[in-house]
Amino acid sequence: MMQSLESEEYYVGNLYQRFPVNIVKGRGCRVWDTNGREYLDCMGGYGVALVGHCNDRVVEAITEQARNLITCHMSVYNETRLRFLKKFNSIAPKSLKKTFFTNSGTESVEAALKFSRKFTGKSGIIALNGGYHGKTFGSLSVTYNEKYRKSFLPLLPDVKFISYSEVESIPEIISRTENKIGTVIIEPIQGETGIIMPPPDFLKSVKEICIANDVVLIFDEIQSGLGRTGKMWAGQHWNVEPDIMCLAKGIAGGVPMGVTTMRPEILDSLKVGEHSSTFAGNPLACAAASATLDALVQDNLVGNSERIGKLFKNGLLELKEKYKIIRDVRGMGLMIGVEMRFDVKNILLDGIKNGILLLYSGRNILRLLPPLVMDEDEVNKSLHLIDVLLQNEEKRRLG
Ligand SMILES: *Cc1c(COP(=O)(O)O)cnc(C)c1O
């Protein structure tokens, strides 16, 4: 791309795969560009636009909080923060009673890894092939993709990656590992890698092994949590509660915020100052997060995610019958992957021309993470547009 003084690239480098669209406005599942053109947003800001762009509840909460107080360090108390914590505790997995505030996904994972290390005193970590947990050094150490890791070695030393089928060998890995395994970290459904579902008994088996060996189980629900999969937590699909859970992405309606929530004894094992963040528990973010939880619960967006997600997935399964270029359709709720036989870049670019924003995973997977406020009309319109894009792609590929 040309690097003129008028292009962002001139200032920000080229770290992101970018698409030629300039967004100025959003509402619900729709966004508009500088020319006033409307797009259906199935990219959902990588899942951040969870409760819809400019959700009324979130806009009101931010506006009101901004008039009163924008910053307030954790070393002093704040009512807005307490209001969020109470609300969050009422929906969090029952045994996870204490929460550390962060500002992003990778920071939630960093905190989880440090807290587990302190609590168990063991440095060994088991992570999953294909897992994605962020790109700061600690999180990157448990992120699988070589493409992200290779320029930054050495990372944390005691990480062992396993495949889903190696679950049976975890006890053996624990017993023979010199730097004792204290932590297992898992995305209940892998997002970045292409909406990969675990085998049916996998999470349950891992949980049992963790209990038997005093190992802390971390669920990274940064992408799958907060109703995305049709239940509040993806772990609920398999009735498994972790010891620590990481959240971020849409938790504050688009305002940067994350949380690491855990069994109280884990957080209580740390002393004053052993971990902290200057922005932690920011009242503006907490106000937005309270409003986001209200939207999820009171507007039943979790139920909507399940219902609309089924419609969307069924429609895509029909398209799979129609187009040979689709290899697989999978996912739960509004976390859906469409694996193609080819690179999807042309489909994404064609999507922009046709008024729909889509997301990719790897080279050949379309990932759909639309806002949970999506309605039937918007699903049908999305399906129609995807149908057009696939027709165009099949013509390009197969003539
Ligand atoms: C997005 C994501 C992260 C990283 O979050 P950032 O806010 O980009 O640091 C970590 N884990 C999962 C599962 C994610 O989807």
Side-chain angles (χ1 to χ4, degrees):
M1 184 170 282
M2 256 257 296
Q3 296 204 345
S4 85
L5 296 170
E6 289 306 311
S7 93
E8 287 183 23
E9 269 75 16
Y10 181 83
Y11 308 95
V12 302
N14 59 358
L15 287 173
Y16 297 86
Q17 171 74 57
R18 312 192 89 198
F19 295 95
V21 57
N22 193 335
I23 299 298
V24 289
K25 185 177 143 92
R27 180 123 199 113
C29 283
R30 290 150 201 267
V31 293
W32 287 267
D33 70 12
T34 40
N35 301 317
R37 275 199 73 210
E38 183 180 300
Y39 301 83
L40 267 167
D41 187 8
C42 289
M43 174 191 248
Y46 277 70
V48 173
L50 185 77
V51 294
H53 290 281
C54 297
N55 181 291
D56 282 338
R57 289 179 186 274
V58 175
V59 171
E60 266 169 46
I62 291 174
T63 308
E64 198 192 314
Q65 185 62 43
R67 286 211 182 88
N68 289 319
L69 184 69
I70 294 177
T71 183
C72 176
H73 192 262
M74 281 297 289
S75 53
V76 293
Y77 296 84
N78 176 260
E79 291 295 326
T80 304
R81 189 188 296 141
L82 179 60
R83 190 150 28 90
F84 166 75
L85 287 166
K86 284 182 178 169
K87 230 168 237 175
F88 179 63
N89 255 37
S90 74
I91 61 160
K94 288 271 170 303
S95 55
L96 310 187
K97 292 281 185 228
K98 289 208 174 174
T99 294
F100 177 78
F101 284 103
T102 73
N103 315 288
S104 68
T106 197
E107 286 172 77
S108 296
V109 172
E110 292 290 335
L113 296 176
K114 278 183 74 180
F115 296 172
S116 178
R117 165 84 76 92
K118 180 76 203 283
F119 178 68
T120 63
K122 297 181 265 189
S123 64
I125 304 170
I126 290 177
L128 263 285
N129 289 359
Y132 180 82
H133 302 289
K135 289 177 184 165
T136 53
F137 270 106
S139 307
L140 187 60
S141 302
V142 290
T143 288
Y144 181 73
N145 195 332
E146 213 32 48
K147 181 176 75 178
Y148 302 144
R149 300 165 58 88
K150 64 173 189 251
S151 305
F152 304 101
L153 303 175
L155 297 167
L156 284 180
D158 303 329
V159 180
K160 165 95 181 129
F161 288 95
I162 62 164
S163 65
Y164 286 118
S165 62
E166 287 176 286
V167 61
E168 304 287 317
S169 64
I170 296 178
E172 194 252 323
I173 294 169
I174 291 173
S175 68
R176 78 172 142 78
T177 308
E178 202 181 318
N179 297 307
K180 293 266 185 290
I181 302 292
T183 308
V184 173
I185 183 164
I186 295 173
E187 289 170 89
I189 298 173
Q190 292 184 343
E192 161 84 16
T193 305
I195 319 296
I196 311 295
M197 312 291 295
D201 295 329
F202 178 78
L203 295 176
K204 198 130 226 149
S205 305
V206 172
K207 175 74 185 176
E208 281 162 15
I209 293 165
C210 286
I211 291 172
N213 293 279
D214 288 323
V215 168
V216 166
L217 177 61
I218 302 172
F219 277 179
D220 177 347
E221 291 239 22
I222 290 167
Q223 194 162 143
S224 62
L226 295 164
R228 171 59 62 192
T229 68
K231 289 192 189 291
M232 189 60 85
W233 315 115
Q236 290 177 292
H237 292 288
W238 295 276
N239 280 316
V240 179
E241 267 190 25
D243 302 302
I244 305 181
M245 183 169 74
C246 302
L247 299 174
K249 292 223 158 75
I251 191 169
V255 175
M257 178 172 144
V259 300
T260 306
T261 192
M262 66 207 92
R263 284 180 20 227
E265 60 270 32
I266 298 175
L267 192 46
D268 290 339
S269 74
L270 279 99
K271 295 198 184 80
V272 171
E274 284 191 320
H275 198 58
S276 65
S277 167
T278 306
F279 285 137
N282 172 272
L284 196 67
C286 284
S290 282
T292 300
L293 298 188
D294 286 346
L296 289 174
V297 175
Q298 290 170 34
D299 303 340
N300 191 25
L301 296 186
V302 184
N304 195 61
S305 168
E306 185 190 15
R307 189 177 65 88
I308 290 295
K310 272 196 188 119
L311 289 178
F312 211 151
K313 192 170 152 190
N314 286 340
L316 291 166
L317 285 166
E318 278 173 31
L319 292 179
K320 177 171 177 271
E321 295 305 306
K322 192 166 159 192
Y323 296 105
K324 292 183 207 54
I325 54 174
I326 299 182
R327 187 183 279 153
D328 190 28
V329 173
R330 54 183 178 252
M332 284 175 143
L334 284 170
M335 186 173 183
I336 304 174
V338 182
E339 186 172 336
M340 311 292 296
R341 295 185 191 280
F342 306 103
D343 192 312
V344 297
K345 185 147 187 219
N346 285 330
I347 297 179
L348 300 180
L349 291 170
D350 199 19
I352 292 168
K353 284 195 201 121
N354 283 277
I356 185 168
L357 301 184
L358 300 164
L359 182 58
Y360 59 96
S361 273
R363 278 177 45 259
N364 67 321
I365 300 166
L366 292 173
R367 181 166 38 146
L368 304 170
L369 298 172
L372 308 190
V373 295
M374 182 171 255
D375 64 22
E376 243 174 271
D377 237 33
E378 288 161 334
V379 176
N380 290 333
K381 194 152 178 236
S382 302
L383 284 166
H384 169 71
L385 288 170
I386 293 170
D387 193 345
V388 170
L389 302 183
L390 292 172
Q391 208 171 320
N392 293 345
E393 178 70 1
E394 201 157 82
K395 264 190 222 133
R396 278 193 299 265
R397 294 283 176 184
L398 308 175

